[in-house]
């Protein structure tokens, strides 16, 4: 008897941070994982295709060889402080990467997802659920990702495909360190703003992804789930 084929996952932004932790976790659970990012990294443990998610043709080309995708996890993201006085180019880059990149990946994968079991998890942010003064583009993009996720969940529901957003607060990655530097705070000071007193790890987010990909999670769709140590529960 031949073994069943491994389930196929695509992880955008799968070369570092949250995306790498998701790819590691899925591979450990027996999934076949294709990671997408703009640049290869040395000793990357997963199948990799160079792809800028802001370019729809590049996304289609990267996914073209796959006949079937069981799960898509969109982790590719870009953050950066920008106020309205700031640089228009940064605004467009942040919206393009987080919102349009999510859209391009979902659009390319949707026809390849199996009815009944297909899964999409988008990585949004707590800043998709609240505002921060110097994060205008990032907040706009992540609010957009959540709105898109909810709409896509309804569009895909008749096919039995679930679509959910995870909304991390601080997660210990290069992106968080960039933000600590912008704010002039230490990781310990960031952790002190979280009710549970600690910053999430990329593996914490990967755990939530795996839970949403389980067969038993088929009734969970259209949600935006914070992983924020209680931050959004604060008054
Ligand atoms: P990192 O900066 O550590 O990793 C980002 C990943 O996305 C890299 O693999 C990067 O590779 C890839 N990427 C960036 N731009 C593109 C692009 N245009 N096309 C393809 N790949 C791209 O970020 P995190 O792991 O911290 O963040 C992952 C997601 O989680 C993001 O959407 C982020 O907004 C979100 N998030 C993160 C939080 C945090 O505190 N870290 C909190 C809340 C949400 P390359 O540069 O080679 O393309």
């Amino acid at each position: 008897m031949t073994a069943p084929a491994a389930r196929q996952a695509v992880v955008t932004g799968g070369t570092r941070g949250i995306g790498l932790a998701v790819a590691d976790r899925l591979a450990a659970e027996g999934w076949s994982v294709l990671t997408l990012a703009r640049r290869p990294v040395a000793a990357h443990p997963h199948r990799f295709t160079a792809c800028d998610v802001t370019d729809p043709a590049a996304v289609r080309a990267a996914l073209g060889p796959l006949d079937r995708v069981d799960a898509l996890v969109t982790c590719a993201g870009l953050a950066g402080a920008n106020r309205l006085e700031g640089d228009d180019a940064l605004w467009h880059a942040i919206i393009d990467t987080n919102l349009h990149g999510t859209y391009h990946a979902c659009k390319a994968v949707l026809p390849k997802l199996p009815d009944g079991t297909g899964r999409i998890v988008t990585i949004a942010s707590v800043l998709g659920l609240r505002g921060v003064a110097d994060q205008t583009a990032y907040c706009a993009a992540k609010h957009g990702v959540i709105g898109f996720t909810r709409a896509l969940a309804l569009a895909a529901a008749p096919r039995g495909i679930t679509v959910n957003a995870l909304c991390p607060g601080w997660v210990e990655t290069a992106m968080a360190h960039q933000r600590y530097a912008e704010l002039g705070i230490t990781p310990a000071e960031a952790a002190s703003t979280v009710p549970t007193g600690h910053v999430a790890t990329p593996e914490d987010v990967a755990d939530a992804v795996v839970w949403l990909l389980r067969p038993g999670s088929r009734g969970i769709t259209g949600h935006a789930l914070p992983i924020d140590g209680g931050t959004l529960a604060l008054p």
Side-chain angles (χ1 to χ4, degrees):
M1 200 165 67
T2 51
R7 289 172 297 170
Q8 176 67 56
V10 172
V11 182
T12 72
T15 52
R16 62 172 188 263
I18 294 170
L20 178 58
V22 169
D24 285 347
R25 183 69 195 277
L26 293 179
E29 298 216 347
W31 290 69
S32 173
V33 181
L34 174 65
T35 56
L36 308 181
R38 290 167 300 178
R39 293 160 296 209
V41 287
H44 186 55
H46 305 291
R47 201 147 47 97
F48 170 79
T49 299
C51 172
D52 184 335
V53 295
T54 67
D55 177 352
V59 174
R60 283 194 299 273
L63 297 177
L66 301 177
D67 294 330
R68 168 188 171 123
V69 176
D70 296 284
L72 168 68
V73 188
T74 62
C75 303
L78 175 69
N82 83 309
R83 292 177 181 270
L84 287 194
E85 307 81 339
D87 180 5
D88 285 352
L90 182 59
W91 167 278
H92 289 293
I94 290 172
I95 301 282
D96 263 356
T97 306
N98 294 285
L99 180 55
H100 298 157
T102 300
Y103 162 71
H104 296 318
C106 291
K107 185 169 180 174
V109 160
L110 199 59
K112 298 174 185 284
L113 287 169
D115 290 357
T117 57
R119 297 277 194 271
I120 295 176
V121 179
T122 60
I123 305 298
S125 167
V126 289
L127 297 197
L129 297 165
R130 58 185 284 250
V132 169
D134 71 343
Q135 295 278 299
T136 56
Y138 191 73
C139 288
K142 294 301 191 181
H143 276 73
V145 169
I146 291 172
F148 172 67
T149 299
R150 289 174 172 147
L152 187 59
L154 295 177
R159 288 181 54 198
I161 292 167
T162 70
V163 190
N164 291 285
L166 292 175
C167 303
W170 290 116
V171 185
E172 186 58 31
T173 70
M175 184 182 283
H177 280 268
Q178 173 196 322
R179 185 63 180 155
Y180 301 154
E182 284 170 0
L183 294 172
I185 62 171
T186 64
E189 286 168 332
S192 73
T193 67
V194 181
T196 56
H198 61 256
V199 166
T201 64
E203 291 73 25
D204 292 335
V205 182
D207 279 347
V209 169
V210 165
W211 170 65
L212 287 170
L213 301 192
R214 288 202 182 117
S217 299
R218 65 184 177 278
I220 302 166
T221 197
H223 289 278
L225 176 69
I227 305 174
D228 67 342
T231 303
L232 290 179
L234 289 167

